[in-house]
Amino acid sequence: MKNQIYLQARLGSTRLPNKVLLKICNKSIIEFMVERLRIVPNIEKIVLVTGPKNINESLIDEAKKIGIDFFCGSQENILDRFYNASLIFKPDRIIRVTGDCPLIDPKVIEKGIQIFNSNNFDILSNVKKRTYPDGLDFEIMTCDILEKTWYNKMNEFINKQAFYEASLPPTKFILQNNNIRQYDLLNNEDLSNIRLTLDYPEDYSLLLLIAENLYPYDKLFGLEDIMKFIRTNASILDINKQFVKTDYGLQVK
């Protein structure tokens, strides 16, 4: 089985411009994430899946510098972007992560892969029923279910001119389909009130604080280390608490 990680990112964020190129521990967000993702076992390649080259050139240059593949597709239609990337790189399974999750835990992804390998699922997700912190998001899907979803939804986009829907994450359409085989990866403790994603300057301040305290001791610190640090420094969650969601529903990024 060819497992590939598709790192979804693009430039053009309005709330925090060029956020995926911001620095954490002297590395860009993308480089910081790839360093963590490279330890996930049995991954054939990591691919930056981004928008058009002329809009995302500095991000593509960063991918080249750190030695990962890249694919340039639609800036807005992420489903189409992922499907066309899969035609080029031909994976059996895709692990989707997003560039706003710099503290993604490779051990959690590994746990998801082990469950996926032992069953016959179309998709595994830790976001449909959120118990992990916002910012440790990922999904694993088969290339077959991505292809089927692309055929079904692209016709719908064209017929309805559903431009907003086209900009939604590809896995959201899959997770909304109750007729497919899906698995919700749950944490032992509900930590959905912890916000570790990157969308606002306050998020960046919190992530920087956590990383700069943990990275010097363990470059691949995980969720357990993060929570230990937070519990001994509880006031740091005040930094971005105004952006914490209380009702996620199906909030796939």
Side-chain angles (χ1 to χ4, degrees):
M1 284 289 180
K2 289 170 61 177
N3 296 327
Q4 297 178 1
I5 294 176
Y6 282 12
L7 175 50
Q8 176 190 318
R10 64 175 191 175
L11 301 180
S13 169
T14 54
R15 288 186 285 251
L16 191 57
N18 297 334
K19 62 184 181 181
V20 292
L21 295 178
L22 292 173
K23 297 289 186 178
I24 287 186
C25 301
N26 297 316
K27 301 175 188 291
S28 69
I29 295 289
I30 291 297
E31 184 179 4
F32 189 84
M33 289 188 70
V34 168
E35 181 179 56
R36 302 168 74 76
L37 294 170
R38 277 182 168 142
I39 74 157
V40 179
N42 302 315
I43 298 298
E44 188 212 14
K45 64 176 67 218
I46 300 171
V47 182
L48 170 68
V49 181
T50 190
K53 185 174 183 179
N54 63 320
I55 302 174
N56 297 279
E57 193 163 0
S58 55
L59 180 55
I60 294 162
D61 288 343
E62 187 69 9
K64 291 176 182 177
K65 187 189 88 172
I66 60 181
I68 62 170
D69 289 289
F70 66 91
F71 174 82
C72 297
S74 170
Q75 181 79 347
E76 299 298 337
N77 190 329
I78 309 174
L79 174 60
D80 190 60
R81 193 196 307 171
F82 267 66
Y83 174 66
N84 281 289
S86 74
L87 295 180
I88 298 296
F89 296 106
K90 301 186 183 333
D92 296 304
R93 295 167 177 168
I94 296 167
I95 296 97
R96 173 182 173 267
V97 298
T98 57
D100 55 3
C101 295
L103 303 189
I104 189 82
D105 188 338
K107 291 180 181 177
V108 178
I109 296 178
E110 182 180 356
K111 179 180 178 181
I113 291 173
Q114 289 171 349
I115 293 170
F116 204 88
N117 286 344
S118 302
N119 295 275
N120 194 27
F121 298 121
D122 296 306
I123 189 168
L124 176 148
S125 166
N126 72 341
V127 297
K128 187 172 183 180
K129 294 181 181 178
R130 186 178 289 279
T131 55
Y132 284 92
D134 185 359
L136 270 73
D137 307 12
F138 75 98
E139 302 100 6
I140 307 170
M141 60 183 149
T142 65
C143 208
D144 287 344
I145 198 65
L146 174 64
E147 182 178 35
K148 289 175 185 175
T149 304
W150 183 85
Y151 277 110
N152 291 336
K153 296 304 292 187
M154 287 300 291
N155 286 331
E156 188 177 314
F157 295 158
I158 294 167
N159 293 335
K160 289 185 176 179
Q161 293 188 327
F163 300 117
Y164 167 72
E165 279 198 28
S167 69
L168 295 175
T171 46
K172 187 157 191 169
F173 304 119
I174 301 170
L175 291 169
Q176 286 173 332
N177 184 348
N178 293 324
N179 295 319
I180 64 130
R181 299 159 297 187
Q182 50 187 290
Y183 182 87
D184 298 309
L185 181 65
L186 304 179
N187 192 33
N188 294 331
E189 178 185 0
D190 185 357
L191 300 175
S192 59
N193 63 322
I194 306 293
R195 179 179 171 87
L196 300 176
T197 192
L198 179 61
D199 205 21
Y200 298 96
E202 292 87 347
D203 295 327
Y204 181 52
S205 297
L206 176 61
L207 295 171
L208 204 57
L209 183 60
I210 292 171
E212 288 182 343
N213 275 275
L214 297 180
Y215 188 83
Y217 303 99
D218 182 358
K219 292 183 178 180
L220 300 171
F221 64 88
L223 177 58
E224 186 177 337
D225 306 299
I226 294 168
M227 291 311 302
K228 191 177 296 183
F229 179 73
I230 286 174
R231 285 174 177 136
T232 55
N233 301 274
S235 62
I236 66 171
L237 293 181
D238 292 339
I239 294 172
N240 67 347
K241 68 179 181 181
Q242 67 268 43
F243 304 116
V244 174
K245 296 181 176 69
T246 55
D247 181 16
Y248 279 92
L250 182 50
Q251 297 275 341
V252 184
K253 297 176 182 177

